[in-house]
Amino acid sequence: WEKQKPGESFKQSALRALAEEELQLTGEITMLDQGQFEYVEPPIDYPGLETYLRGASFVVYLSKEQFEALRAGHTEVQERKQNHFKWREL
């Protein structure tokens, strides 16, 4: 999941997440658009206040170099936490 910034397309938000914020991929990023979706989630925390979700799905194809860089591990640093990701081939 990645929040869109004002004026961004779904693809621009996904590319920003992949290249700049989440995975910091370098080189060409190949993506296959899987379409858009919209749905409403029932309230969990706030009774009576539904959540409206609108987004798009993409399949991302990694080059061998991009995959090897991720396999080594990646730490996403946020203001209050750090997430460490390690990838493995399936």
Side-chain angles (χ1 to χ4, degrees), residues 27-70:
E28 184 177 343
I29 298 174
T30 305
M31 297 171 45
L32 176 61
D33 188 339
Q34 295 289 290
Q36 297 181 16
F37 59 86
E38 294 182 23
Y39 63 93
V40 176
E41 277 190 352
I44 297 171
D45 295 331
Y46 302 98
L49 184 62
E50 295 178 328
T51 301
Y52 174 71
L53 298 163
R54 181 175 166 261
S57 295
F58 297 92
V59 173
V60 178
Y61 296 95
L62 301 178
S63 68
K64 183 174 178 107
E65 293 79 19
Q66 289 168 326
F67 178 78
E68 289 303 324
L70 291 172

Side-chain angles (χ1 to χ4, degrees), residues 1-25 29 31 33 36 54-58 60:
W1 293 97
E2 184 64 36
K3 294 183 181 106
Q4 273 183 287
K5 291 186 175 182
E8 276 187 330
S9 68
F10 289 127
K11 186 172 184 175
Q12 289 169 324
S13 333
L15 286 170
R16 176 175 46 80
L18 294 166
E20 299 170 24
E21 296 180 5
E22 306 296 334
L23 301 180
Q24 298 162 350
L25 293 177
I29 298 174
M31 297 171 45
D33 188 339
Q36 297 181 16
R54 181 175 166 261
S57 295
F58 297 92
V60 178

